[in-house]
Amino acid sequence: MVILKKIKGSTLMETLVATVLIVVVFMMASMLLNNLFANNIRSNDSAVRQELLKLQYRHQNQLLQLPHYQTWEDWELEVYEEDWNQTKRIVFRAGQETLNKEIVVKR
């Protein structure tokens, strides 16, 4: 007959402490990932850059009258002509008040 060896187990308190530590670590990791994803989505400006490219295309094909002001989602878009070194150039500008962000393309 085989004699079974007694294996020492952990107490209930040790198990609870380990569970709480694991939950805290996962909660911190979850909050960190949530913050990273939210910042990435908030700072993604590729859609507004695409809208500026559309405005540039419309200007090249004489479909846009200057000055042009437009609101797109929460961005303020404007296209205007300015004097620069005794020549005129076109400025395509997109600004957002909430993030204090601005994109400017000069041609």
Side-chain angles (χ1 to χ4, degrees):
M1 185 174 224
V2 177
I3 299 176
L4 297 175
K5 293 184 181 178
K6 188 172 183 179
I7 300 173
K8 183 178 178 186
S10 61
T11 64
L12 180 62
M13 186 56 91
E14 291 171 341
T15 306
L16 288 175
V17 169
T19 303
V20 167
L21 288 176
I22 290 172
V23 167
V24 167
V25 167
F26 278 111
M27 184 178 65
M28 297 281 286
S30 173
M31 289 177 10
L32 177 70
L33 286 175
N34 188 26
N35 193 18
L36 286 173
F37 288 136
N39 284 338
N40 189 16
I41 290 171
R42 207 174 319 131
S43 66
N44 188 2
D45 60 358
S46 61
V48 76
R49 289 185 185 274
Q50 185 69 29
E51 193 66 28
L52 283 177
L53 285 174
K54 287 180 188 177
L55 290 174
Q56 291 175 25
Y57 175 80
R58 288 178 58 198
H59 178 262
Q60 286 176 352
N61 293 303
Q62 287 83 32
L63 300 173
L64 189 67
Q65 293 183 1
L66 298 181
H68 176 78
Y69 300 99
Q70 174 183 345
T71 302
W72 185 80
E73 292 184 4
D74 56 346
W75 291 83
E76 297 291 329
L77 305 175
E78 60 181 324
V79 181
Y80 57 91
E81 191 174 60
E82 74 175 5
D83 293 326
W84 182 70
N85 288 343
Q86 300 163 345
T87 60
K88 295 200 182 266
R89 70 177 175 183
I90 307 299
V91 178
F92 299 87
R93 182 191 161 281
Q96 187 181 35
E97 294 287 327
T98 56
L99 293 177
N100 198 17
K101 196 169 188 179
E102 183 177 56
I103 301 169
V104 178
V105 178
K106 298 178 181 181
R107 298 204 173 245

